[in-house]
Amino acid sequence: MKLLCILTTIAFVNVSPIMTGEYANLVYTTNKYIREAFDNDPAGLETAISNIINEDKPFETLNLMLAIPEKTNIFRINHDEPFIMKLPADQEAVQAAISQFTTIPVPKFGPNENFEKDSLGQLGEERRLILGKVTTKLLTDAIENSTVNHNSFS
């Protein structure tokens, strides 16, 4: 069921946390890592994403880890809020999961690479393009291996 929720989230993302340049840089690095894993070890990436989905995490956390917020709104909010503080940790958790199931090292951030919160829309789009393929395959595999009759699903 979580897999279906993630697929729905990838299609209808509308989360509005505060974003920083540091967070955008982490999102960029994670995207780069996901792309390298997708190209070089797709089975390892599928296992990593499957494990993230099946962990006991709130849906909001899965949304931030896998779908990335599409829009960013700047609010006057205490930057020490737990929600804000865990945004970088969520990206690092995705990197750790991929690292656990692949032999691909986490990419290093280049000296001339720098992304700001304005880049998050594009970074989110890139993330969903890759992970949409992975989660669709995971969902298809789950349906095919299920004992429930799914004849009405295309």
Side-chain angles (χ1 to χ4, degrees):
M1 186 62 184
K2 281 188 177 183
L3 185 57
L4 181 60
C5 293
I6 292 301
L7 287 174
T8 303
T9 301
I10 288 173
F12 302 103
V13 176
N14 189 13
V15 178
S16 302
I18 292 177
M19 300 299 165
T20 64
E22 176 187 348
Y23 179 68
N25 290 339
L26 271 171
V27 170
Y28 171 78
T29 301
T30 304
N31 278 7
K32 193 172 179 181
Y33 197 23
I34 290 169
R35 170 58 74 185
E36 288 179 22
F38 183 78
D39 291 342
N40 300 313
D41 190 357
L45 179 62
E46 286 175 20
T47 303
I49 299 305
S50 179
N51 280 358
I52 289 171
I53 292 169
N54 290 320
E55 287 178 357
D56 188 25
K57 293 187 182 304
F59 185 71
E60 295 80 16
T61 301
L62 289 173
N63 184 20
L64 291 171
M65 290 174 76
L66 300 178
I68 301 301
E70 178 67 13
K71 299 177 183 176
T72 59
N73 292 333
I74 303 301
F75 296 101
R76 291 188 178 267
I77 190 168
N78 181 357
H79 287 272
D80 293 332
E81 288 282 331
F83 173 74
I84 301 302
M85 299 302 286
K86 48 178 282 215
L87 288 175
D90 290 340
Q91 293 305 302
E92 291 165 354
V94 173
Q95 292 175 12
I98 294 169
S99 177
Q100 183 179 0
F101 295 101
T102 69
T103 57
I104 302 166
V106 178
K108 301 292 183 209
F109 200 75
N112 295 328
E113 295 175 310
N114 190 27
F115 293 86
E116 295 298 326
K117 63 178 174 36
D118 297 338
S119 306
L120 283 168
Q122 177 186 353
L123 293 172
E125 199 63 34
E126 291 169 11
R127 173 84 53 101
R128 285 185 297 283
L129 283 174
I130 299 168
L131 290 185
K133 295 173 186 174
V134 173
T135 53
T136 300
K137 183 175 182 327
L138 290 172
L139 180 61
T140 302
D141 291 347
I143 290 172
E144 288 174 358
N145 296 329
S146 174
T147 58
V148 178
N149 184 1
H150 298 287
N151 291 336
S152 63
F153 297 148
S154 60

